[in-house]
């Protein structure tokens, strides 16, 4: 009887927070379809291992962790392959980017993945440091240190 209630709670939680998870996945892959695939795959992974969830209040950090790990796995599997040389790019006329703050997004993309994850979870998803530590399976002090290092790197990049 516990399992159907757990599934129902999980379903309600996912439905009420789906935009957050899509936005999180999109912040990693910068592609609508890939972000949707990541969210879908994350939900499938979560449904398979739903019995590992002990308490209802653990759903949020547990599922964030699944989405983050699935996003990172996706990036690893789909690393871009350079097919053109610099000379070819001179003739390429890209469509205007729609980011509101392109410099910030470029600076974020240049951070190592573990730093970028912390910045995204803290400032874009508005999570507490304790929750970020749980999601990333890191010590709270490690998360704080990486957060401050990441902010310092961002400040330096944005100054230039």
């Amino acid at each position: 009887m516990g399992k159907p209630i757990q599934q129902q709670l999980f379903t309600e939680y996912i439905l009420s927070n789906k935009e957050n998870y899509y936005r999180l996945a999109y912040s990693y892959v910068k592609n609508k379809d890939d972000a949707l695939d990541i969210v879908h795959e994350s939900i499938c992974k979560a449904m398979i291992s739903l019995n590992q969830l002990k308490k209802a209040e653990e759903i949020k950090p547990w599922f964030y962790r699944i989405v983050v790990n699935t996003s990172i796995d996706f990036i690893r599997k789909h690393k871009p392959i350079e097919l053109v040389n610099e000379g070819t790019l001179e003739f390429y006329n890209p469509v205007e980017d729609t980011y509101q703050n392109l410099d910030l997004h470029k600076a974020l993309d240049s951070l190592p993945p573990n730093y970028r994850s912390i910045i995204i979870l803290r400032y874009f998803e508005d999570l507490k440091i304790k929750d970020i530590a749980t999601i990333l399976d890191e010590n709270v002090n490690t998360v704080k240190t990486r957060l401050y290092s990441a902010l310092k790197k961002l400040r330096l990049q944005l100054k230039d």
Side-chain angles (χ1 to χ4, degrees), residues 126-148:
D126 201 31
L127 294 174
K128 295 179 177 152
I129 292 193
K130 179 183 169 200
D131 292 335
I132 295 169
T134 303
I135 291 165
L136 299 177
D137 195 26
E138 296 283 355
N139 182 300
V140 171
N141 290 330
T142 302
V143 170
K144 286 179 184 178
T145 302
R146 288 183 182 163
L147 176 63
Y148 297 127

Side-chain angles (χ1 to χ4, degrees), residues 14-41:
I14 294 301
L15 290 175
S16 63
N17 294 286
K18 62 187 176 210
E19 291 86 10
N20 295 343
Y21 295 117
Y22 169 77
R23 191 175 56 243
L24 177 62
Y26 186 85
S27 71
Y28 279 91
V29 294
K30 311 287 189 292
N31 179 290
K32 293 176 185 178
D33 294 330
D34 292 342
L36 289 172
D37 288 345
I38 288 168
V39 172
H40 179 264
E41 185 177 340

Side-chain angles (χ1 to χ4, degrees), residues 5-156:
I5 293 171
Q6 218 173 11
Q7 286 179 344
Q8 184 180 354
L9 283 173
F10 177 71
T11 302
E12 290 170 8
Y13 179 76
I14 294 301
L15 290 175
S16 63
N17 294 286
K18 62 187 176 210
E19 291 86 10
N20 295 343
Y21 295 117
Y22 169 77
R23 191 175 56 243
L24 177 62
Y26 186 85
S27 71
Y28 279 91
V29 294
K30 311 287 189 292
N31 179 290
K32 293 176 185 178
D33 294 330
D34 292 342
L36 289 172
D37 288 345
I38 288 168
V39 172
H40 179 264
E41 185 177 340
S42 298
I43 292 170
C44 291
K45 287 178 179 179
M47 292 299 289
I48 290 168
S49 60
L50 193 57
N51 60 344
Q52 294 176 1
L53 194 60
K54 304 295 183 224
K55 301 175 193 167
E57 60 268 11
E58 294 176 352
I59 288 177
K60 184 177 180 177
W62 176 73
F63 193 68
Y64 262 103
R65 179 186 218 171
I66 292 172
V67 174
V68 167
N69 289 338
T70 304
S71 298
I72 291 170
D73 289 345
F74 180 90
I75 291 169
R76 284 186 189 131
K77 288 178 191 171
H78 298 90
K79 282 190 176 181
I81 302 168
E82 187 175 321
L83 298 175
V84 295
N85 60 29
E86 290 295 320
T88 307
L89 290 177
E90 290 176 18
F91 299 106
Y92 177 67
N93 189 9
V95 177
E96 191 71 28
D97 204 315
T98 58
Y99 286 135
Q100 290 178 351
N101 192 338
L102 188 58
D103 290 339
L104 175 60
H105 287 280
K106 282 183 179 180
L108 268 175
D109 288 343
S110 71
L111 290 175
N114 55 350
Y115 284 31
R116 185 175 347 128
S117 294
I118 292 170
I119 294 290
I120 289 168
L121 292 171
R122 178 69 185 109
Y123 295 105
F124 292 82
E125 297 303 319
D126 201 31
L127 294 174
K128 295 179 177 152
I129 292 193
K130 179 183 169 200
D131 292 335
I132 295 169
T134 303
I135 291 165
L136 299 177
D137 195 26
E138 296 283 355
N139 182 300
V140 171
N141 290 330
T142 302
V143 170
K144 286 179 184 178
T145 302
R146 288 183 182 163
L147 176 63
Y148 297 127
S149 296
L151 289 172
K152 185 176 180 181
K153 288 179 184 225
L154 284 175
R155 275 189 217 106
L156 289 173

